[in-house]
Amino acid sequence: MADLPHGIRRAFRLALGRPPIEQEVDAEIDFHLEMRAAELVERGMAPEAALAEARRRFGDTHEWGMAMSEVDRERVARSERAEWLSDLRQDLHFGARSALRSPLFTLLAVVTLALGIGANAAVFGVVKSVLLDALPYADADRLVRVYGRFLDGSNDRGPLSAGTVTDIAARQRSFVGTAAFATLPRESILEGDEPRVVQVEWAEPKLFRVLGVKAALGRTLRDDDAVGDTAFTVMVTYAAWQQLLGGDPGVVGGTIDINGITRTVAGVLPRGFVGPGGDADFYYPLDVRLLLRDPISARGSGWLGVVGRLKPGVTVDGARRDVAAIGADLAREYPRDNGSITLSTVPLRDSMVGDTRTPLLVLMASAGLVLLITCANLAGALLSRTISRRKEFAVRMALGAGRGRLVRQLLTESALLAIAGGVAGIALAEGGLAMLRRLASRALPSYAELSLDPGALLFTFVLALCTGIAFGLVPALSARRSNTQATLRDESRSATESRPSRRLRGVLVAAQIALCVSLLAGAGLLIRSLAALTSASLGFNAGGVLSVNVQLPADRYRSLEEQENFFEQLEERLRGLPGVTGVADATALPTAVMQRNGIRVIGAPPPPDNVLPFALYAGVSDDYFRTLGIPLRSGRTFGPQDGPDGPPTIIISESMARRFWPKGDALGAQMRMGPDPNSTPLTVVGIVGDVRNDPTRPDAEPITYAPARQDVRQSRFLLVRTSGDPLALVRPFRGVLTALDPSVPMRDAMALSAFLSDGLTGRRRPVVLMSAFGALALLLASVGVYAMFAAMAAAREREFGIRVALGSTRREIAALVLRQGAVWMLAGLVGGAAGVVVVARLVSGLLYGVRPLDPVALGITLLTVVACALVALLVPVRRATRVDPITTLR
């Protein structure tokens, strides 16, 4: 700190609350003593005698120092503070006047800063809401979730069976309590004037106690609410209370009809509550003990999740080891059902964040690179402006202004620009968050509320100040090192810009190029990855297909025969609509099949270690494969013979046939599916082409298809193919459904291609935003390169004039400028190469079908940056070659 200018040191001391008057008095006395002693030594006295004589002549320094009363010291301290505040007001006033004197420069600086700061503020608002803000639970960092990890690698976060959940609760030693809930909300119908499909989740009543959640109205569920085979008590979420029940405060204790059953509302959950299983409208009480009655489904059917609250002093790692040991014990005790899975434990936040953490961190890093480029850009611009103001600074220093005061003045000016840019950036950030809400609402966790809360605003303010210091420090230090006398005489030994100044400009250019290369390389890799992802065939044709979810009321369609007859009539009427070329239904849409069943091939040796393999499962109608264009490889598709009274049949995908029947004898083979090892055998009647259920995986998972007549369900997805716009069928579809039964609701009517596109939102969002950041970085870097070299060429006009007068050709002048630019461009590309390695490693988890160091993406990035930099150099080169030597020398 001793090397800092006196004004800055004094400001630090005052900011820390330490009045420096005592220290300054002592230092002043010591200084005078040393000077008087030095004079006496020069006259021939010994050093010790000289110091003693100096003290005698000066008087008792202790008494002199004590002569100043505490009141005087405090008065001087207040005077110093007042002086410092007065200086600060002057700096602010002069900084504002300086900005107004150069309105174009100020406007460009503020706009540039607004883009950089606004991008960071918007992305930070998302990151904060997803990764930093507290979950809507008490002491959420003490909550964990337990998963089943399939040993065949098909699912790392699978559901658990009722038996496994019960054993975890009984054997664990790490949790204050555990609670089970359904892993996916069920669809039900809220009856009334206009029936609506709602999301219902089953949960043990103690779930709300484990989460630390209290009701906003009424009470939460109690254990006695779960008594009996049917739950007649229900909890309502705040959103459902507002949107579906009109926000009626008298709803508590009242009744509502869901799926034909009258239920009593126990209470309303608080605003912002989101269950660990996702969004839901209503919560039913769940008694896991009732699920243990059936020995097959007790352990063989997994559809439950488990949340636990850690005991005091227990860490997540400790709970992980505890639960893993329980899983190993269960695998030995129940090899048939639990031998295929292990138990894993993760923090609840990680469970709810899912795969969004890496894309968000990538976006935050991208926004940070843009801000760094902005700082380098403005540092160069302010450096040029500082050089043009060197006479002004020299005059101020000649009139008594200290170098520290000059540095503070320049930092004040840059801080004012940064704060103005931050204010404008907040407005841009609000618009950016609105765009992110539209782009990423389905890809982000349900609890995330994208907004600029006080924490995000504080981050923006601090970021603006740090940015102002960052880009203002270089020109401030440059002005501090200026030669006052030479500047006032307007003469120098050199006819060109000083070498340190030129080197500093070059470093800023290289930094911008390096950062731009890093950011564009990451964007290029993600673009290539998304292109590979979207161009790879999914195994079916989604174009021209409308998908609609139809849910039958349970009280009106109780038997399987009634349900099947309704869907057959609906499909028959839909086929009669103009332009319709195919109609089918399925229990799940392609790329969204969630159900997995254990597979046992009859006649094949048992799997090693009794690790049961799993395959995806969907029930489909006869025309499903033809409607979606899934090719039939061998055998047949479903037909009327595959009804409830016919032999159980199954159709499998190619990948499943290759995996389980490598000899090619899958057709006609038999297999069992599900937890019961003695279940009815299913005969393979057809083999169809692979469908990539997970588009982000390069391989297709095995899929099994059952006939819809043998797997009748109340909720199905209708798929209607048309030769025109699929959305044009929404109104006719509604008319057909209303004519058939007006009490049956429909929802989620959308083009199947749009559904697939929404499924890739998590992959598309970082690509779009990082590409936007890359384009912004390229623009800023190009402007920065142009501005830097234009200023460097302008500063060397006198040199160029002399060179031309001494015989240099304009081509040689152009080569000189290009060579100078090429050196710093090359330095930037070398620095960017190191940045590319870091960025490639950061985005590697988001890539599909592209290597982290893809030569195509990196080659295009380098060519783009070099081309833009060369274009930015053309104007400075042209200006350098048109220097008039006569005018310059004159």
Side-chain angles (χ1 to χ4, degrees), residues 600-601 603-613:
R600 295 178 176 86
V601 177
D609 300 326
N610 291 320
V611 177
L612 196 66

Side-chain angles (χ1 to χ4, degrees), residues 70-134:
E70 291 297 327
V71 176
D72 293 333
R73 292 177 180 179
E74 181 60 27
R75 185 181 299 114
V76 173
R78 287 198 303 268
S79 176
E80 278 206 343
R81 293 191 184 98
E83 179 186 354
W84 182 80
L85 292 175
S86 176
D87 290 346
L88 179 59
R89 284 194 296 268
Q90 291 179 9
D91 291 340
L92 293 173
H93 179 69
F94 190 82
R97 289 178 56 191
S98 177
L100 294 176
R101 281 200 304 266
S102 305
L104 182 58
F105 173 84
T106 302
L107 177 62
L108 292 176
V110 170
V111 170
T112 302
L113 284 167
L115 292 172
I117 296 176
N120 278 269
V123 175
F124 179 78
V126 179
V127 171
K128 183 177 181 296
S129 64
V130 175
L131 302 181
L132 301 179
D133 285 347

Side-chain angles (χ1 to χ4, degrees), residues 7 167 169 176 186 221 289 316 357 376 399 545 589 634 644 725 768 782-783 805 853 873:
D167 286 332
V176 176
R186 269 47 176 179
L221 298 175
R289 295 171 299 178
V316 175
R357 180 185 299 273
L399 293 177
V545 176
L589 293 177
S634 61
D725 179 10
V768 172
S782 300
V783 172
L853 297 178
L873 268 174

Side-chain angles (χ1 to χ4, degrees), residues 44 48 61 153 178 507 628 674:
E48 295 80 4
T61 58
T178 63
V507 169
L628 291 185

